[in-house]
Amino acid sequence: MKCDIIRDLIPVCIEGLCSEESVKEIQEHIKDCENCRILYEKIPVVENVPPENMPDESKAFRKINKKIKKGKLKIIILSVLLIAVISAVSYLSYNQITKRSGTRSFETIIQTMEVKHIMNYLAEGDVEKYVDSVSKAEFDDYYMNDTIIQSIRESDIQKLNNAYDEFTKENPIESVKVSSYYEQNLNRDSIVYSDILIKTKNEELSFLAVKESDGKYKILNSFILFYEPWQENSAKFQNTLSYINNHSHINTNIISKLLCKNFNNSKKSPESTVKFIVCRFNTDCRENISENMIDFYNKGFTVENAFFSPFQIDTDKNMFFYNIAIIAKDSNGSAIMNTRIYYDEYGFLSPETDTIQIYSDNCSKDLEKSLKIFFG
């Protein structure tokens, strides 16, 4: 063979791709041809890779399959999460529109967060921020100037600080839970209410929150009427909260109805009814008022009507009060008592003597006297 052909075949021969005849021809040629022999010797011999160093195809496929499975799992998880999010958003959006009783929506979630934020101030003992956070919409119709409002604010902070310190001294607040929902009011309007549960070391306190016209919340709880001596600090704390969140916190409609009960033709004694009335008063004047009221009813006197004005504020004393008119009767005639009763976070106070006015119409002197001391 010619050298040109041999040189073309040498690389193929070294790689072991030539036939046996071609290899023999090349070997015979390079014995006599020095140039081709030099080329043959210069080209490196490629060694075959041993099988053990070759990649394992099964392992490679397993790795690829594992990655594919991981990718599919991620897609499934993301899909489930996406469906859950879409379902939750749809549910909340539907409830936002329908506002069905007992349901929750974006609005109820927001209210829960806002009310929880306010109640956390109380739990942490930041009374000033709590007082500033609750609604003052009840003052909107009274045209109070900034000086009066600031005076009420300072008084509320002081009252609540005192009650809070006494209550939490041996009964610290441990947690606050809030849950909000739609409910229809008496006008069949859907309102968002928030149930509040304050857990302390020794007891649980329940409250209700509702948003007022000023965009803030009124935290509602019942005025505590009856309590044992060991519950006194708890009752004072709850009554103070009731007072601060609703300065007209005593239900005067109930008192009016109770006062007008007629016991003359009844087998029931007036003691139990008087007890419910007197419990709306401060503890230091309850006993005296109870004796006077029971004596009034036992003498056969009756209260025909009892009128309470809307709550008002005495700017000189910085105290709230009601103007009260009591129309009473005996067998001879009738009498009207006009007076002013102040109240604080612990209930009514006995009226001052100079605020009591009696107007009689053919009634006995005994009725006039009983009316003058009716509230202590």
Side-chain angles (χ1 to χ4, degrees):
M1 288 188 186
K2 294 183 179 181
C3 288
D4 292 341
I5 297 173
I6 293 299
R7 287 172 185 168
D8 290 338
L9 292 175
I10 284 175
V12 180
C13 176
I14 291 173
E15 290 181 5
L17 301 176
C18 289
S19 63
E20 292 182 3
E21 292 182 1
S22 297
V23 172
K24 287 181 181 179
E25 290 286 339
I26 292 170
Q27 293 295 338
E28 290 296 326
H29 179 82
I30 61 176
K31 286 180 182 179
D32 300 325
C33 180
E34 187 175 354
N35 291 334
C36 289
R37 186 175 66 254
I38 292 171
L39 177 64
Y40 183 86
E41 292 173 353
K42 281 184 178 180
I43 297 176
V45 178
V46 179
E47 298 182 359
N48 291 330
V49 179
E52 59 270 16
N53 293 331
M54 293 290 288
D56 189 339
E57 290 184 3
S58 62
K59 287 183 179 180
F61 278 115
R62 280 199 295 271
K63 285 183 179 180
I64 293 170
N65 194 36
K66 193 174 182 180
K67 287 182 179 180
I68 292 172
K69 286 182 177 179
K70 281 185 177 180
K72 287 182 177 179
L73 183 61
K74 286 181 180 179
I75 292 172
I76 292 171
I77 293 172
L78 290 174
S79 299
V80 171
L81 290 174
L82 182 60
I83 292 170
V85 170
I86 292 173
S87 299
V89 171
S90 301
Y91 172 78
L92 295 172
S93 299
Y94 177 74
N95 291 339
Q96 184 77 41
I97 296 170
T98 59
K99 300 182 188 296
R100 294 171 298 147
S101 294
T103 60
R104 291 166 174 79
S105 68
F106 295 108
E107 186 179 10
T108 64
I109 292 173
I110 292 171
Q111 179 157 319
T112 296
M113 294 170 63
E114 291 176 342
V115 173
K116 180 73 179 294
H117 189 64
I118 294 171
M119 298 309 295
N120 280 340
Y121 287 143
L122 192 63
E124 294 163 4
D126 198 337
V127 169
E128 185 173 348
K129 284 186 178 179
Y130 174 82
V131 171
D132 289 338
S133 298
V134 296
S135 174
K136 300 295 186 294
E138 60 181 333
F139 298 146
D140 289 349
D141 296 332
Y142 289 87
Y143 307 103
M144 297 182 183
N145 59 43
D146 293 340
T147 303
I148 296 175
I149 292 175
Q150 181 62 23
S151 179
I152 294 171
R153 172 185 177 273
E154 292 173 358
S155 175
D156 286 350
I157 291 171
Q158 183 180 0
K159 291 177 187 294
L160 186 55
N161 256 323
N162 294 337
Y164 181 88
D165 290 342
E166 289 297 319
F167 174 63
T168 58
K169 190 184 297 180
E170 298 179 355
N171 195 23
I173 296 175
E174 296 179 347
S175 64
V176 176
K177 293 182 179 180
V178 180
S179 176
S180 302
Y181 54 91
Y182 287 110
E183 199 65 64
Q184 287 187 340
N185 61 13
L186 295 175
N187 297 324
R188 295 189 175 276
D189 297 323
S190 291
I191 306 295
V192 180
Y193 293 98
S194 297
D195 287 334
I196 303 168
L197 182 66
I198 297 180
K199 186 177 181 181
T200 69
K201 182 181 178 181
N202 302 319
E203 61 184 309
E204 292 182 347
L205 310 179
S206 297
F207 303 89
L208 185 70
V210 62
K211 184 175 282 190
E212 292 292 306
S213 57
D214 60 355
K216 293 184 177 182
Y217 294 95
K218 181 178 286 187
I219 313 298
L220 304 171
N221 64 296
S222 299
F223 183 76
I224 307 299
L225 301 177
F226 306 103
Y227 51 86
E228 299 297 330
W230 62 271
Q231 296 173 309
E232 183 176 3
N233 288 334
S234 176
K236 286 183 176 180
F237 174 65
Q238 294 184 69
N239 287 344
T240 303
L241 283 175
S242 174
Y243 172 82
I244 288 171
N245 285 280
N246 181 17
H247 289 85
S248 57
H249 66 143
I250 302 175
N251 192 326
T252 55
N253 291 328
I254 292 177
I255 300 175
S256 295
K257 291 178 181 179
L258 292 173
L259 288 171
C260 294
K261 275 196 171 184
N262 189 332
F263 300 98
N264 292 336
N265 299 318
S266 174
K267 294 180 180 180
K268 293 183 178 179
S269 65
E271 279 80 0
S272 59
T273 300
V274 168
K275 184 178 180 181
F276 275 96
I277 297 171
V278 170
C279 281
R280 271 79 174 180
F281 285 78
N282 273 241
T283 53
D284 56 355
C285 59
R286 289 180 183 179
E287 185 176 351
N288 188 32
I289 296 172
S290 180
E291 291 177 359
N292 293 343
M293 284 190 177
I294 291 172
D295 183 62
F296 174 91
Y297 289 113
N298 284 338
K299 288 179 177 179
F301 302 146
T302 60
V303 174
E304 298 298 308
N305 281 298
F307 301 98
F308 285 77
S309 71
F311 80 101
Q312 301 176 55
I313 184 169
D314 185 329
T315 55
D316 294 329
K317 294 184 176 182
N318 194 28
M319 289 186 68
F320 293 95
F321 67 89
Y322 289 100
N323 286 320
I324 301 175
I326 301 289
I327 301 175
K329 284 188 177 183
D330 62 9
S331 57
N332 298 322
S334 62
I336 299 175
M337 176 184 66
N338 290 331
T339 189
R340 171 181 292 188
I341 291 187
Y342 291 91
Y343 65 93
D344 59 17
E345 66 273 28
Y346 303 135
F348 290 125
L349 302 167
S350 289
E352 298 173 1
T353 306
D354 60 357
T355 67
I356 301 174
Q357 296 175 327
I358 304 294
Y359 302 94
S360 60
D361 182 16
N362 297 321
C363 70
S364 65
K365 293 295 181 181
D366 198 11
L367 175 58
E368 291 183 26
K369 182 181 176 181
S370 296
L371 276 178
K372 283 183 180 180
I373 59 173
F374 188 71
F375 289 119

